[in-house]
Amino acid sequence: MAAPSEVNGDPIHCPAKVPAMAYPLSEESAEVAANIKYHSQYSPHFSPFKFEPEQAYYATAESVRDSLIKRWNDTYLCFHKVDPKQTYYLSMEYLQGRMLTNAIGNLNILDVYADALHKLGSDLENIAEQEKDAALGNGGLGRLASCFLDSMATLNLPAWGYGLRYRYGLFRQRITREGQEEVAEDWLEKFSPWEIVRHDVVFPIRFFGHVEICKDGSRKWVGGEVLRALAYDVPIPGYKTKNTISLRLWEAKAGSEDFNLFQFNEGRHESSLHLHSKAQQICAVLYPGDSIESGKLLRLKQQFFLSSASLQDIIYRFKERRAGNESICWNEFPMKVAVQLNDTHPTLAIPELMRILMDDEGLGWDEAWDITTKTIAYTNHTVLPEALEKWPQDVMRKLLPRHMEIIEEIDKRFMAFIHSSWPDLGSGLERMRILDSSNPHKPVLRMANLCVVSSHTVNGVAELHSEILKSELFADYVSIWPNKFQNKTNGVTPRRWIRFCNPRLSDIVTKWLKTDEWITNLDLLSGLRQFADNKDLQAEWASAKMANKNRLAHFVLQVTGVSIDPSSLFDIQVKRIHEYKRQLLNILGAVFRYKKLKEMSSEERQTATPRTIMIGGKAFATYTNAKRIVRLVNDVGAIVNNDPEVNKYLKVVFIPNYNVSVAEILIPGSELSQHISTAGMEASGTSNMKFALNGCLIIGTLDGANVEIREEIGVENFFLFGAKAEDVAKLRREREDGLFKPDPRFEEAKQFIRSGAFGTYDYGPLVDSLEGNSGYGRGDYFLVGHDFPSYVDAQARVDEAYKDRRRWLKMSILSTAGCGKFSSDRTISQYAKEIWNIDHCTVP
């Protein structure tokens, strides 16, 4: 008689007729099913004879990984033999999302795996739900990096991503009565089936110590503490291509020799593991708090760890491909290597490359500098002062003494160049310096300035943003290097962000365009324009949208307990919580809407457009006002959603723990999305592109990529409001001078919050930021009060447009039709041709 956990020796829920056999490269569903079953039995991670959804997920993922490893190895071998110029993308963040569906979709075997799992008594959608999002990022910066890797692989470009393997990510967000609560993300609580540890890829990383001058005058960095960077590789498959590139993640380790057995046996357990503890801290969390010196040291350790490990690996590969040569021709390095810095976090790659070339390889300053400046390119993602990193010089000198020497020399030589070649720059000179000693008590190092001075190309990420960089932030540099600055408008991958997350709408697009080539050539979406008035297309479009809205409503009920009506207008704003992104403007508008609904008669309410407002995103743990905004959204929702007079016409819901997988449910089900940042402050945005691509209409300001989206989809299909970027400085001055006259509706909404209508929590400091001193030292710095009346008027236009179903559906179709420009394939093609100078390298 079989044991309770066993049926004829076969795993529970796993049909006996499917054999457990290895078919690692098969694309036939019966053999794939056998391969999945093989992994469930012979790659065991759980108690034997179980095939419940979690176990089935890991077995399925390992089956997919079998196919990826072959493609992975073939890609690496191809790159090694051809030795093309290769791009290395350095980023502190990657928001990959779930990999299973994306991988089998890109491999074009989604139906094969669905059928294989059906043979095993399982369902692909249910199995895919078992996967946890990799906690390697926070917001748009990380998601952009992941979209870029997908496009690099799909375009068959020789490329490689580098990041850190965070154990706990930023944090997992819980919502309680008190608002946001941060807990550790548990994505690696068990293991990730997608990563492969490379025990043979290990590099030493030094911190602290001192600089020794050798007899020949050369300098060496010695002493301090030395940790090890261990590589974990994650495969990135291209869409319908054999090319599979890598995201290499570094983990910090201490060696066995760093464990003091004598101290341990003496009972000094913590001190015996001192260096192991130091290593664990480096990759523990993304963006640890840096309000005190130990936090600053840890943040800089992370940034240097990523930069040094990646550069050592790049140089090792460069040498490996020249094995057998009598000597290395270092002038060839920039012809084979392109390094892209994704914002200022990897800036330390600049002095580290200089150090390696001079101290380890024996090159002189001029040769090392020439190589470095021809290799490094820099993408700027922000104009916000707090995001343009500045680090105390004394902290940098303490942690990285040799690198501080190199940075000081770069600054010194740059100043000499300016004095000799551009003596009339005047006050611009101090703004351009890398080392800022204007405050002698707190001299700082400007990371963005170091990037601009040391890179061959600097790019912004939307046309408006790039113009602001050239005319304001980096204007002094533009006067001496006008050709250094470019624009590369961001994009999103059509695979994850419509084809896989919205298959219903994707099938409709393919049917009407009579081709699926739009998935790799998004410009073909423009062909939908000719059908925008077609009743049959509109009916199919509406059906797909309603199915997605029903799915979203079910999800909201599951995660929040709030029941929402799929026939209401789904109005969504999801992104990092920050005052410049103006979730506060959104919730003020919701408060005003609620108050007006309360004042209406029951007959008047019946003419209102029912609306469900959803807001989601994480507030940084130490960002007090952002956390107040999260709490306010939840407090408003608690009152509005339980008010029987108005909850048929308005619901307010906070979506907890926003991540890629949540976005893949929210975006297909959205109808209106708010991209309402203060003009001139959002570099680009990519969620606006994802929403527009899925037929969601946008209400927004002329900020970031909104400008280009509005141009592409048509001004009549975009709900515009608010100040323009060129007017913001003047409006702020007027606000400071007391010349601002607030709209009565703005005052009414603020007073309603102050009245205690939404609970006893003191929102005084949050409301005061709109009229008194804010965190930036000036009242209402983000112009919420100025833009509020035009925002309310734009929302009224939304209400009227939504009542005309045919008009709304036409606008929705035209939104998707106009999104051809916003493919990351287009963006990466431009990077490859205009910055990296690389060409495709296709696996035969």
Side-chain angles (χ1 to χ4, degrees):
M1 183 175 178
S5 60
E6 201 177 327
V7 180
N8 298 324
D10 216 63
I12 291 176
H13 310 311
C14 194
K17 63 182 179 180
V18 177
M21 297 185 68
Y23 293 100
L25 303 180
S26 178
E27 294 185 4
E28 196 280 313
S29 63
E31 292 178 348
V32 168
N35 197 53
I36 294 171
K37 190 171 178 182
Y38 171 87
H39 279 289
S40 74
Q41 294 188 21
Y42 298 108
S43 301
H45 305 289
F46 302 91
S47 300
F49 308 119
K50 283 187 177 180
F51 199 73
E52 292 166 356
E54 186 180 30
Q55 290 83 6
Y57 158 68
Y58 282 104
T60 303
E62 288 177 323
S63 174
V64 177
R65 197 179 70 179
D66 288 345
S67 297
L68 291 175
I69 286 174
K70 175 67 166 65
R71 295 166 182 260
W72 215 354
N73 292 341
D74 289 347
T75 304
Y76 185 85
L77 185 62
C78 177
F79 291 174
H80 187 72
K81 285 182 175 179
V82 176
D83 189 24
K85 184 175 184 181
Q86 187 164 335
T87 291
Y88 300 94
Y89 198 81
L90 275 60
S91 178
M92 285 291 284
E93 293 188 46
Y94 291 90
L95 269 179
Q96 289 292 95
R98 291 171 176 160
M99 287 194 61
L100 177 57
T101 304
N102 194 73
I104 58 179
N106 273 5
L107 296 175
N108 202 29
I109 50 175
L110 194 147
D111 290 341
V112 171
Y113 267 82
D115 190 41
L117 285 166
H118 180 72
K119 287 176 165 54
L120 294 169
S122 297
D123 172 73
L124 174 59
E125 187 173 350
N126 183 38
I127 297 305
E129 286 289 323
Q130 308 304 310
E131 183 175 357
K132 294 180 179 180
D133 281 34
L136 300 172
N138 172 38
L141 182 85
R143 185 51 236 173
L144 179 75
S146 294
C147 282
F148 279 3
L149 292 184
D150 177 272
S151 288
M152 291 173 194
T154 298
L155 295 171
N156 299 317
L157 293 173
W160 203 278
Y162 284 108
L164 294 182
R165 185 177 182 262
Y166 303 107
R167 178 66 180 81
Y168 299 111
L170 185 72
F171 58 82
R172 183 173 181 82
Q173 183 190 54
R174 289 180 182 165
I175 300 299
T176 70
R177 280 186 167 186
E178 305 304 313
Q180 173 180 293
E181 177 184 330
E182 304 89 23
V183 296
E185 184 62 77
D186 61 351
W187 79 285
L188 284 175
E189 185 178 36
K190 293 186 174 71
F191 69 101
S192 169
W194 302 106
E195 61 184 19
I196 293 180
V197 60
R198 305 294 190 186
H199 292 289
D200 57 332
V201 183
V202 183
F203 296 101
I205 311 293
R206 188 183 306 275
F207 301 107
F208 304 110
H210 62 279
V211 179
E212 286 186 350
I213 303 176
C214 305
K215 291 180 180 179
D216 61 359
S218 63
R219 307 176 81 85
K220 293 292 181 185
W221 181 26
V222 298
E225 59 187 39
V226 180
L227 300 177
R228 299 175 182 181
L230 173 64
Y232 284 76
D233 282 353
V234 178
I236 309 295
Y239 180 70
K240 292 187 178 180
T241 174
K242 289 184 178 181
N243 282 50
T244 297
I245 62 174
S246 276
L247 168 57
R248 177 157 284 180
L249 302 172
W250 298 109
E251 181 173 79
K253 293 279 192 181
S256 57
E257 69 275 12
D258 296 314
F259 171 61
N260 193 315
L261 185 61
F262 178 77
Q263 287 184 352
F264 191 86
N265 286 332
E266 275 198 332
R268 291 184 286 161
H269 302 141
E270 290 185 5
S271 61
S272 70
L273 289 162
H274 176 70
L275 210 54
H276 289 263
S277 174
K278 292 272 190 181
Q280 288 179 343
Q281 292 171 17
I282 290 176
C283 293
V285 299
L286 169 66
Y287 304 143
D290 62 353
S291 59
I292 57 177
E293 183 176 296
S294 60
K296 290 179 172 63
L297 282 167
L298 183 54
R299 286 280 290 271
L300 280 169
K301 275 187 171 183
Q302 285 187 331
Q303 295 186 3
F304 180 68
F305 193 83
L306 167 64
S307 301
S308 179
S310 303
L311 278 171
Q312 289 185 69
D313 195 37
I314 292 166
I315 288 171
Y316 173 82
R317 193 170 299 110
F318 175 75
K319 289 181 172 181
E320 180 188 41
R321 292 174 184 173
R322 276 139 199 82
N325 292 1
E326 290 185 10
S327 62
I328 300 293
C329 177
W330 285 102
N331 289 333
E332 191 183 7
F333 191 77
M335 293 185 273
K336 293 296 182 181
V337 173
V339 174
Q340 187 71 39
L341 307 183
N342 191 30
D343 220 358
T344 53
H345 309 122
T347 302
L348 290 169
I350 294 163
E352 174 66 350
L353 181 54
M354 290 289 292
R355 183 197 68 81
I356 293 172
L357 293 174
M358 292 190 298
D359 298 0
D360 295 348
E361 302 299 337
L363 274 61
W365 178 278
D366 291 340
E367 189 177 2
W369 179 248
D370 184 62
I371 291 167
T372 299
T373 56
K374 287 178 178 176
T375 301
I376 304 283
Y378 160 55
T379 299
N380 174 280
H381 285 277
T382 185
V383 297
L384 290 178
E386 76 271 26
L388 291 167
E389 292 184 287
K390 296 178 182 179
W391 293 105
Q393 292 181 28
D394 57 343
V395 174
M396 183 70 73
R397 187 174 286 106
K398 179 179 180 180
L399 183 69
L400 303 169
R402 178 62 177 131
H403 298 77
M404 194 60 196
E405 285 186 347
I406 293 169
I407 292 167
E408 287 171 336
E409 186 66 18
I410 294 172
D411 184 63
K412 174 185 171 183
R413 290 177 179 237
F414 175 61
M415 285 296 100
F417 163 71
I418 295 297
H419 281 300
S420 64
S421 303
W422 304 87
D424 299 327
L425 272 174
S427 61
L429 195 62
E430 284 304 313
R431 291 193 299 267
M432 299 170 75
R433 289 203 66 165
I434 296 165
L435 300 177
D436 176 11
S437 300
S438 56
N439 182 347
H441 301 293
K442 293 183 179 179
V444 295
L445 163 60
R446 297 163 168 156
M447 302 297 257
N449 289 22
L450 178 56
C451 286
V452 173
V453 170
S454 310
S455 302
H456 62 80
T457 305
V458 177
N459 73 279
V461 290
E463 287 177 1
L464 175 62
H465 171 237
S466 297
E467 285 305 310
I468 291 173
L469 292 185
K470 290 194 288 185
S471 62
E472 297 178 23
L473 194 63
F474 299 137
D476 298 312
Y477 297 105
V478 173
S479 67
I480 60 172
W481 292 313
N483 296 324
K484 179 177 282 198
F485 296 85
Q486 296 187 12
N487 174 61
K488 295 289 172 281
T489 297
N490 285 340
V492 300
T493 167
R495 274 71 66 184
R496 183 179 288 272
W497 291 115
I498 183 167
R499 179 64 191 96
F500 303 147
C501 78
N502 199 345
R504 292 182 180 91
L505 197 67
S506 295
D507 289 344
I508 292 169
V509 171
T510 297
K511 172 187 171 183
W512 284 81
L513 294 181
K514 295 183 170 57
T515 179
D516 66 356
E517 290 183 10
W518 62 270
I519 300 168
T520 51
N521 181 4
L522 211 57
D523 288 334
L524 294 177
L525 290 179
S526 63
L528 291 172
R529 288 188 175 123
Q530 63 184 304
F531 307 117
D533 282 310
N534 187 290
K535 291 182 179 180
D536 293 334
L537 173 56
Q538 289 187 359
E540 292 175 24
W541 203 268
S543 176
K545 181 62 73 174
M546 183 53 70
N548 289 327
K549 290 178 71 177
N550 282 320
R551 178 182 177 227
L552 174 51
H554 178 69
F555 170 78
V556 169
L557 182 62
Q558 278 186 314
V559 300
T560 70
V562 178
S563 177
I564 61 176
D565 181 5
S567 67
S568 66
L569 168 60
F570 279 11
D571 170 353
I572 300 175
Q573 184 185 22
V574 279
K575 53 187 69 202
R576 178 167 54 96
I577 308 294
H578 195 291
E579 287 171 284
Y580 93 83
K581 293 178 183 288
R582 299 203 296 190
Q583 289 91 351
L584 184 53
L585 175 59
N586 187 343
I587 196 61
L588 273 171
V591 165
F592 182 75
R593 179 180 290 266
Y594 174 60
K595 188 172 187 295
K596 295 296 109 178
L597 284 167
K598 288 290 286 180
E599 293 168 356
M600 291 178 185
S601 67
S602 58
E603 291 79 12
E604 287 174 320
R605 285 192 202 106
Q606 290 176 17
T607 65
T609 300
R611 188 183 294 228
T612 300
I613 299 171
M614 291 172 250
I615 299 176
K618 295 178 180 180
F620 196 68
T622 57
Y623 190 171
T624 304
N625 251 11
K627 295 181 77 169
R628 287 182 180 131
I629 292 168
V630 173
R631 174 155 186 169
L632 178 59
V633 174
N634 282 280
D635 284 351
V636 170
I639 297 300
V640 172
N641 301 341
N642 291 290
D643 187 330
E645 284 187 331
V646 303
N647 62 15
K648 290 181 183 178
Y649 308 99
L650 180 64
K651 291 278 180 76
V652 177
V653 184
F654 189 88
I655 307 296
N657 204 48
Y658 179 62
N659 59 19
V660 174
S661 295
V662 173
E664 290 171 336
I665 299 172
L666 288 169
I667 291 172
S670 63
E671 293 175 291
L672 179 75
S673 186
Q674 304 206 29
H675 301 274
I676 57 178
S677 52
T678 312
M681 301 204 74
E682 182 76 84
S684 169
T686 52
S687 64
N688 47 6
M689 301 172 186
K690 295 161 196 162
F691 280 103
L693 179 60
N694 283 269
C696 175
L697 301 184
I698 291 176
I699 180 171
T701 53
L702 285 177
D703 195 27
N706 280 1
V707 177
E708 292 159 82
I709 291 173
R710 183 169 174 263
E711 290 172 354
E712 296 294 320
I713 69 173
V715 297
E716 69 279 8
N717 302 313
F718 188 103
F719 297 98
L720 178 66
F721 75 96
K724 295 181 179 179
E726 59 265 30
D727 297 326
V728 166
K730 175 175 173 284
L731 292 168
R732 283 175 178 154
R733 286 194 300 272
E734 290 177 355
R735 187 75 173 88
E736 288 180 55
D737 295 339
L739 301 177
F740 171 65
K741 294 182 180 179
D743 187 281
R745 294 171 291 181
F746 179 54
E747 294 300 295
E748 194 176 347
K750 287 190 299 178
Q751 185 54 41
F752 198 34
I753 294 172
R754 289 189 190 276
S755 72
F758 303 105
T760 59
Y761 181 77
D762 180 14
Y763 284 108
L766 182 62
V767 179
D768 286 346
S769 73
L770 302 177
E771 48 198 343
N773 290 327
S774 71
Y776 282 71
R778 298 188 291 272
D780 198 13
Y781 183 78
F782 302 103
L783 302 183
V784 174
H786 177 275
D787 285 356
F788 186 80
S790 61
Y791 174 74
V792 171
D793 292 343
Q795 290 286 18
R797 296 198 302 273
V798 170
D799 289 336
E800 287 306 306
Y802 195 71
K803 291 174 182 176
D804 184 343
R805 296 306 298 153
R806 287 211 63 194
R807 177 190 170 196
W808 188 274
L809 286 166
K810 178 180 179 180
M811 294 168 73
S812 175
I813 293 166
L814 290 172
S815 175
T816 299
C819 280
K821 178 178 181 177
F822 304 109
S823 168
S824 53
D825 296 348
R826 185 268 312 154
T827 312
I828 286 299
S829 292
Q830 291 179 340
Y831 272 98
K833 294 173 185 174
E834 298 166 18
I835 296 180
W836 302 332
N837 192 28
I838 64 170
D839 204 351
H840 63 85
C841 184
T842 307
V843 176

